[in-house]
């Protein structure tokens, strides 16, 4: 089954209730891991989702599988948010909102990223941002054209700067106040 719950070509379609269960499990896992940390019991995820533990394991045979799916679901939502910002053509400062969103997602789901790292799966902010590069390019062009960022700023500079800042914020568990301050300093450096 693919990330979106749909089967690969040639396989039988997934029942609607199975897709709903998968979505509920991912939503519950995200909430449970954010509240209790990534070491939270899978039973807590099942209870929050309103499904049996066997249903969780049918969709995600191991806890690392569930954690990976949570991260992929987060990335899918981040892509959707970036796409919405791109569609709002009048928002010249959406690039700043996007950067703040990336920082927030990283901080909120720090425990999940750390637990995945313990299993040998490294979640790198830079890799996620590279997947978002088309949206970053549009938001950056719009911000440059609107005069809210430097004319000489390129995505090849912005992506690693934002990635490094967010990666360190995740690793060092920066406070909300310090994350905001770091973003403010980054934004000042981006302005003309």
């Amino acid at each position: 089954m693919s990330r979106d719950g749909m089967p690969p070509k040639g396989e039988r379609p997934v029942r609607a209730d199975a897709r709903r269960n998968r979505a509920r499990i991912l939503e519950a896992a995200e909430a449970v891991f954010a509240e209790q940390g990534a070491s939270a019991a899978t039973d807590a995820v099942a209870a929050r989702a309103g499904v049996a533990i066997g249903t969780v394991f049918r969709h995600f045979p191991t806890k690392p599988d569930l954690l990976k799916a949570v991260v992929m679901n987060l990335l899918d939502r981040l892509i959707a948010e970036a796409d919405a910002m791109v569609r709002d053509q009048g928002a010249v400062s959406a690039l700043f909102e996007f950067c703040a969103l990336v920082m927030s997602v990283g901080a909120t789901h720090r425990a999940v990223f750390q637990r995945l790292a313990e299993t040998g799966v490294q979640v790198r902010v830079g890799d996620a941002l590279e997947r978002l590069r088309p949206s970053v390019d549009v938001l950056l062009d719009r911000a440059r054209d609107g005069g809210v960022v430097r004319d000489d700023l390129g995505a090849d500079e912005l992506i690693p700067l934002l990635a490094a800042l967010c990666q360190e914020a995740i690793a060092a568990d920066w406070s909300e106040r310090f994350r905001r301050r770091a973003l403010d300093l980054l934004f000042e450096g981006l302005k003309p």
Side-chain angles (χ1 to χ4, degrees), residues 9-144:
K9 288 188 180 209
E11 287 188 25
R12 222 173 58 172
V14 177
R15 293 183 348 231
D17 63 329
R19 283 194 308 272
R20 282 191 302 272
N21 282 344
R22 184 178 197 284
R24 286 186 7 224
I25 292 165
L26 287 173
E27 181 180 322
E30 185 178 324
V32 167
F33 295 145
E35 292 167 8
Q36 302 175 23
S39 60
T42 309
D43 292 6
V45 173
R48 173 80 60 100
V51 300
I53 190 70
T55 302
V56 174
F57 287 124
R58 212 172 8 265
H59 288 276
F60 309 101
T62 66
K63 191 166 185 182
D65 291 335
L66 178 57
L67 291 166
K68 287 178 200 173
V70 167
V71 170
M72 295 312 295
N73 196 44
L74 288 170
L75 182 56
D76 288 344
R77 286 202 333 261
L78 193 56
I79 289 169
E81 293 256 359
D83 288 346
M85 290 178 187
V86 165
R87 284 191 300 274
D88 184 2
Q89 295 180 8
V92 295
S93 62
L95 180 67
F96 299 121
E97 293 170 37
F98 171 79
C99 293
L101 176 64
V102 172
M103 178 72 86
S104 174
V105 167
T108 303
H109 301 286
R110 176 181 182 270
V112 172
F113 302 144
Q114 285 186 316
R115 183 62 193 259
L116 272 174
E118 292 168 12
T119 69
V121 176
Q122 295 295 321
V123 176
R124 294 178 25 87
V125 176
D127 295 341
L129 288 174
E130 281 300 329
R131 287 198 50 205
L132 290 160
R133 179 142 193 158
S135 294
V136 171
D137 286 338
V138 170
L139 295 175
L140 181 56
D141 286 344
R142 192 175 294 150
R144 272 195 309 257

